[in-house]
Amino acid sequence: MAEQEPTTDQPLEDAIRRAQCGETRAYECVVRRFETPLRAWLAGQGPPGIDVDDLAQRTFVAAYSRLSDYSPNTCFEAWLYTIARYQLKTETTRLRRIADYHARYAPDLLQRELDRRANEPTEFQSNRLEVLQGCVDSLAEHLQRFIRWRYDEEIPLEEMAQRSDRSVAAVKKQLWQIRQRLQQCVERRSISGEEGDFA
């Protein structure tokens, strides 16, 4: 029995061939054919918050710019989705870097802002900073240690993790929880003058 040739989508292949020859309007047929399934695939594969429309558009633009690399009568869909996979990987890496940047530098930006306000203290700001210092003093010693390491000694998260025998993620979470406690303490004391210790 003779092997069957793989079936190709001739109208699609014709549109691709015309686009490869410079007929840009022929590429619209390609985009219309794949835009819905490609968006659905990206939405299913990508992390939450990813801009599926933007990523699909970048995929189609990248595919068009490399259309001369496509071999006619092979699987265009697989070729396109390979490009989409690389676009998704690049975008995911970019989003991770942004998240890491915020996790790493947001506390430092907060400290700088506190320093800036301390250099131009109004009565309200002076009171607020005193309240913050009181809240820091009310923290348990092991929590104050994290504050000293991070903001006084400016120790990197990796070293803090080593010193406390925790993972970097656990240290980040601990610092976030401390900042939350301090914010709540400052707000509560600013309103009511209440004092108390944090364990």
Side-chain angles (χ1 to χ4, degrees):
M1 182 187 271
E3 285 186 21
Q4 287 186 333
E5 291 279 323
T7 58
T8 58
D9 183 337
Q10 204 52 51
L12 175 66
E13 288 295 326
D14 290 343
I16 293 167
R17 195 172 301 109
R18 290 195 320 271
Q20 285 175 324
C21 292
E23 191 181 322
T24 54
R25 291 189 64 84
Y27 193 66
E28 289 177 24
C29 172
V30 176
V31 172
R32 278 196 304 272
R33 170 73 184 278
F34 289 105
E35 65 183 335
T36 300
L38 180 63
R39 282 187 171 95
W41 182 84
L42 288 167
Q45 297 294 316
I50 200 159
D51 187 340
V52 171
D53 292 333
D54 180 60
L55 207 51
Q57 182 178 4
R58 280 193 271 152
T59 298
F60 285 120
V61 169
Y64 182 76
S65 69
R66 290 192 286 243
L67 207 52
S68 60
D69 296 342
Y70 172 69
S71 301
N73 296 316
T74 59
C75 186
F76 181 81
E77 184 175 9
W79 185 79
L80 179 68
Y81 278 68
T82 299
I83 293 171
R85 192 172 295 110
Y86 282 111
Q87 293 290 329
L88 179 61
K89 184 177 178 183
T90 300
E91 181 64 7
T92 302
T93 301
R94 187 185 74 82
L95 291 175
R96 280 195 193 120
R97 283 188 186 137
I98 290 171
D100 185 52
Y101 174 85
H102 288 299
R104 187 174 298 167
Y105 297 109
D108 296 330
L109 293 174
L110 173 64
Q111 184 61 44
R112 281 189 220 151
E113 178 62 16
L114 288 173
D115 292 343
R116 185 190 68 76
R117 290 181 184 186
N119 291 334
E120 304 172 356
T122 63
E123 185 178 338
F124 172 78
Q125 290 170 334
S126 296
N127 290 340
R128 193 97 163 154
L129 287 171
E130 286 176 24
V131 170
L132 176 59
Q133 186 60 56
C135 289
V136 170
D137 293 342
S138 73
L139 289 170
E141 174 57 33
H142 73 282
L143 299 178
Q144 287 184 32
R145 185 174 59 227
F146 280 97
I147 296 291
R148 280 194 306 275
W149 286 347
R150 188 66 177 153
Y151 300 110
D152 294 341
E153 301 173 30
E154 298 182 354
I155 293 173
L157 291 172
E158 292 77 11
E159 187 177 334
M160 290 176 67
Q162 214 170 18
R163 287 186 182 188
S164 62
D165 197 27
R166 297 181 181 194
S167 68
V168 171
V171 169
K172 286 181 183 179
K173 183 175 181 182
Q174 182 70 75
L175 287 168
W176 181 83
Q177 289 172 337
I178 291 170
R179 287 192 299 272
Q180 291 294 107
R181 286 181 175 195
L182 289 174
Q183 182 180 359
Q184 291 167 2
C185 174
V186 168
E187 289 171 1
R188 186 171 55 249
R189 289 186 180 190
S190 295
I191 293 170
S192 65
E194 171 188 338
E195 293 194 5
D197 292 336
F198 283 124

